[in-house]
Structures are given as C-alpha cells and as structure tokens.
Amino acid sequence: MTARLSTGDSPRELGEAPATLAEAHEVLWRQRPARDADPSVWVDFHRHSAKVYAQTAEVDLRHQYEAAQCAGLEIRKARTIEDRLNPDLDGEEA
C-alpha cells in the first residue's frame, strides 16, 4: 500500500466515485461544510455522504459492511438534524 499526497486535482476530486472506503472518507472530508453552515447544508451533506458510502460498499468488497454502516450513520445524522429543525413532525412521513 502506498501513501498518496493530494495534488488538488486527483481523479476522485474531479467527480469519479471513490473505489475504496479510505478514498470515500478523504473525498467527503474535503467536501464537509463549515461548522457554522446552515443546518440544511449539513442535512444535504449527510445525505450525499450516505450515497457515497453506499456506492463504495458495492465496489470495495473488503470494506463492504463498514461502508454500509457508514451510510447508515450518515442517514441517522441527517434525520437527527431534520428532527431538530421540524420537531412537530415527530417521525411522521408526509
């Protein structure tokens, strides 16, 4: 395994889907919103992260279950923020 230094325009940063869980972590870390970003931005980020991890689980078979777990955690994070933004919904689907 070799270490890779970021050049700023790696194929993963230019839109290719990550091929490994480590790449998914790296790509998503670079896409993280600012800490003080609007909560809706964080919801979108967590939902996007869940999709990336789910796609990664399909191609990185050595880390399939871990990537799937990461996807589930990201969905929970998004739902937690949504629940805080809309406490009147109490889990009701519209």
Side-chain angles (χ1 to χ4, degrees):
M1 189 158 78
T2 59
R4 185 168 47 95
L5 296 176
S6 176
T7 60
D9 284 331
S10 74
R12 303 286 173 238
E13 293 171 12
L14 295 175
E16 280 186 33
T20 66
L21 181 58
E23 288 177 357
H25 288 321
E26 181 181 338
V27 167
L28 293 169
W29 179 258
R30 293 170 189 261
Q31 295 175 356
R32 282 178 66 89
R35 285 181 173 230
D36 60 348
D38 189 85
S40 64
V41 172
W42 278 102
V43 169
D44 291 342
F45 171 74
H46 289 304
R47 292 207 177 272
H48 167 71
S49 296
K51 289 178 187 174
V52 170
Y53 285 128
Q55 291 169 347
T56 302
E58 294 177 7
V59 294
D60 185 0
L61 299 181
R62 289 185 65 202
H63 299 102
Q64 179 179 19
Y65 299 109
E66 186 178 357
Q69 180 67 22
C70 289
L73 291 171
E74 292 296 329
I75 289 293
R76 281 186 226 123
K77 289 176 187 177
R79 288 180 179 164
T80 298
I81 295 169
E82 289 171 334
D83 289 345
R84 275 192 256 139
L85 293 175
N86 300 310
D88 296 334
L89 293 180
D90 287 332
E92 295 176 16
E93 296 289 328

